[in-house]
């Protein structure tokens, strides 16, 4: 299973941005990033590919990362969810360009 270095960098940036989001008091860890890459690999295999694309990571980021953080109680009171935080980070972080088809 091939994972481009740009995908690893993308996941790392997502994890860092979620961890440092102002709404979060306990953010995602390196293990969360590893879980996201593993899930993206499995997702790619289920679609018959032997490589991961950025959309695999984007599709799985919310279900893999959202339960791995704790919101600031004020944000929770305002109705913010961990899913909202991950979606906001996904909008902010640049997606790597996909290499030519394999």
């Amino acid at each position: 299973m091939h994972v481009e270095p740009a995908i690893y960098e993308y996941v790392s940036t997502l994890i860092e941005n979620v961890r440092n989001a102002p709404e979060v008091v306990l953010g995602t860890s390196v293990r969360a990033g590893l879980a996201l890459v593993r899930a993206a690999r499995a997702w790619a295999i289920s679609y018959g590919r032997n490589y991961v694309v950025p959309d695999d990571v984007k599709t799985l980021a919310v279900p893999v990362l959202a339960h791995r953080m704790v919101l600031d109680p004020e944000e929770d009171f305002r109705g913010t969810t961990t899913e909202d935080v991950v979606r906001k980070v996904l909008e902010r972080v640049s997606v790597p360009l996909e290499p030519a088809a394999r």
Side-chain angles (χ1 to χ4, degrees), residues 7-30:
I7 299 289
Y8 286 116
E9 184 64 33
Y10 179 52
V11 170
S12 177
T13 302
L14 288 173
I15 295 300
E16 184 178 336
N17 277 265
V18 168
R19 183 182 307 130
N20 295 322
E23 303 91 346
V24 175
V25 292
L26 182 61
T28 51
S29 67
V30 172

Side-chain angles (χ1 to χ4, degrees), residues 12-58:
S12 177
T13 302
L14 288 173
I15 295 300
E16 184 178 336
N17 277 265
V18 168
R19 183 182 307 130
N20 295 322
E23 303 91 346
V24 175
V25 292
L26 182 61
T28 51
S29 67
V30 172
R31 287 187 332 168
L34 294 172
L36 183 53
V37 170
R38 273 193 309 271
R41 285 176 151 170
W43 190 263
I45 288 170
S46 74
Y47 280 89
R49 287 185 274 111
N50 65 349
Y51 57 93
V52 174
V53 296
D55 278 347
D56 298 334
V57 174
K58 287 176 67 174

